[in-house]
Amino acid sequence: MSDTLRIGFAVEGTTDFVMLEAAVAAILPDHEIETVRLQPEVSDAFEAMAGTTGFGWPGIYRWCQEAVEKGGGAISSGPVLESFDVVVVQLDADVAGATYAEGHIHDQAGDLPCEQKCPPPEATTNELRRVLLRWLGEKTEPKKLAICMPSKSLEAWILAGLYPTDGIVKSGALECRAKPERLLSGKPLKGRLVRGNHKDFEMYRGRAPAFAEKWSAVTKRCTQAARFETELRAAIL
């Protein structure tokens, strides 16, 4: 058994954290792992409150700005990466279709929206990665950073893991399906993760172990999940 890995997570929301925490444990079974949620800065008991940065992709943007400020212009120069063996930064690829105005963000870079035709999903994720790296003050992915960018959202990975017989999953078109959370809202009531437009945090937390057990199925169906696994492993070398 290797020494304990200290892994920080900057993610869009609390449901993303519990699922990705479980996935990372599945990817790195030979390590003891200590996880720290960096973003959003809330406790599970107060998941409706998101501190000063907020939830979603605007929260990731603001967290990146804070990290860059602490690093004097780049996250790689600051204390964030120094404090962990690896930091996972999640940004769902549907953000590529958003504008800064929608996130109440004043950014004059003009690099959003950057959505490309899908398939292939990497056409969009490659463009959005450049945007995220700019937010982090970087031109290339720094050591000890692992970008997690599901296409179109993490719910696509969840569908692939928990509902492998779903028609969209089997079709091979899952990563290009907009709003995969809508497919989750139509699943059987027992174990349903999304009810209407609301993600059931307790249900996500309860089903995270089952999602982790099916991680290999996720990487077979979702190219960006396989990419995340590869880059996470490389980040800890």
Side-chain angles (χ1 to χ4, degrees):
M1 184 69 72
S2 301
D3 293 340
T4 299
L5 291 175
R6 193 163 187 261
I7 302 180
F9 289 80
V11 299
E12 293 194 31
T14 54
T15 56
D16 300 299
F17 174 70
V18 295
M19 287 297 189
L20 288 176
E21 181 184 39
V24 166
I27 293 168
L28 305 172
D30 295 329
H31 295 270
E32 292 285 353
I33 296 174
E34 175 191 353
T35 61
V36 178
R37 187 169 63 200
L38 303 172
Q39 163 64 29
E41 296 178 315
V42 295
S43 67
D44 294 343
F46 297 97
E47 60 172 316
M49 302 170 62
T52 59
T53 49
F55 286 114
W57 73 265
I60 292 294
Y61 176 92
R62 296 184 180 99
W63 178 84
C64 290
Q65 298 305 295
E66 290 184 359
V68 167
E69 184 176 352
K70 291 175 182 176
I75 191 173
S76 58
S77 302
V80 176
L81 296 184
E82 293 179 359
S83 302
F84 297 91
D85 293 294
V86 62
V87 172
V88 173
V89 180
Q90 176 226 356
L91 187 67
D92 285 347
D94 60 7
V95 176
T99 66
Y100 287 111
E102 291 171 345
H104 304 289
I105 292 169
H106 301 288
D107 190 308
Q108 301 302 315
D111 51 10
L112 282 183
C114 63
E115 190 170 27
Q116 306 297 308
K117 184 178 179 180
C118 189
E122 61 268 22
T124 292
T125 59
N126 286 342
E127 290 299 318
L128 188 59
R129 278 169 173 258
R130 283 189 272 272
V131 174
L132 177 57
L133 286 171
R134 182 183 68 81
W135 294 356
L136 293 165
E138 307 287 348
K139 291 187 177 180
T140 58
E141 197 167 330
K143 185 178 179 181
K144 297 172 65 175
L145 179 77
I147 293 176
C148 175
M149 192 169 285
S151 178
K152 297 290 188 172
S153 72
L154 186 64
E155 277 63 37
W157 294 5
I158 295 169
L159 275 159
L162 298 182
Y163 299 98
T165 61
D166 179 272
I168 296 298
V169 174
K170 293 172 67 177
S171 74
L174 178 60
E175 288 188 290
C176 294
R177 176 64 178 252
K179 300 187 182 301
E181 62 273 14
R182 291 181 178 173
L183 295 175
L184 286 175
S185 68
K187 295 306 178 185
L189 185 60
K190 183 179 180 180
R192 185 179 296 173
L193 296 162
V194 180
R195 300 166 188 264
N197 294 320
H198 177 69
K199 296 179 183 180
D200 187 327
F201 174 76
E202 291 301 328
M203 192 64 72
Y204 270 74
R205 180 158 60 180
R207 300 200 68 186
F211 173 66
E213 288 179 6
K214 299 298 184 181
W215 179 251
S216 61
V218 178
T219 58
K220 288 178 182 177
R221 293 290 188 182
C222 300
T223 61
Q224 301 310 295
R227 185 178 189 177
F228 170 58
E229 176 173 332
T230 298
E231 295 187 4
L232 177 66
R233 291 183 184 278
I236 65 172
L237 295 179

